[in-house]
Each structure stands twice: as structure tokens, then as C-alpha cells.
Amino acid sequence: KGVVIAAGKLGKIKTVLQMLMTFVILLDIQALSDLRIDWILIAAAVGMTVWSGVDYFLKNRAVFSGENGNG
């Protein structure tokens, strides 16, 4: 319909977390202690994905419902 939706700050943070998580998992990076960095990053990425997704749909619900004024 020709509507451009710019990437939001939350989506960019989500992407950085997902890339960092992937990097840590692929290289099997573990902390020097018992702290599981991989699981922390997975939880953070999942949480940010849900948060940014909800934010995205709420901010752009008019576009998704067809109420954007473009006919």
C-alpha cells in the first residue's frame, strides 16, 4: 500500500541482542564463573522480541487495520 514503517529503537536493540546471542552460542563462549551468559542472552533476546513486537503492532495498528488514510 506504499506505507513505509521505520525501524524503531526497540527493534534495533532486539537485533543487537539476537546477534550477540548468536555469536556467544556459536563460539560456545562461557563465563569464567558458573554464570551462563548464553541463557541470559537467550532470555533477554526473547523478552526484547516480545516487547518490540507488541510495541511495533500497537504503534502501527492503523496501518495493519487499513485505517492509514491511503484508501
Side-chain angles (χ1 to χ4, degrees), residues 6 11-13 17 23 35 37 42 45 54 65 67:
K12 292 177 182 183
I13 293 170
L17 277 172
F23 179 77
L35 186 64
I37 296 173
I42 289 169
V54 169
S65 67
E67 300 170 8

Side-chain angles (χ1 to χ4, degrees), residues 27-38:
L27 294 182
D28 199 23
I29 297 172
Q30 295 301 317
L32 299 175
S33 66
D34 291 333
L35 186 64
R36 292 292 309 255
I37 296 173
D38 53 350

Side-chain angles (χ1 to χ4, degrees), residues 16-70:
V16 169
L17 277 172
Q18 288 175 335
M19 286 189 278
L20 185 59
M21 174 196 70
T22 303
F23 179 77
V24 167
I25 291 172
L26 287 176
L27 294 182
D28 199 23
I29 297 172
Q30 295 301 317
L32 299 175
S33 66
D34 291 333
L35 186 64
R36 292 292 309 255
I37 296 173
D38 53 350
W39 285 104
I40 293 170
L41 287 171
I42 289 169
V46 168
M48 187 54 73
T49 298
V50 172
W51 184 13
S52 67
V54 169
D55 181 66
Y56 178 84
F57 283 108
L58 289 177
K59 285 183 178 177
N60 299 295
R61 63 181 170 262
V63 175
F64 295 117
S65 67
E67 300 170 8
N68 59 2
N70 288 343

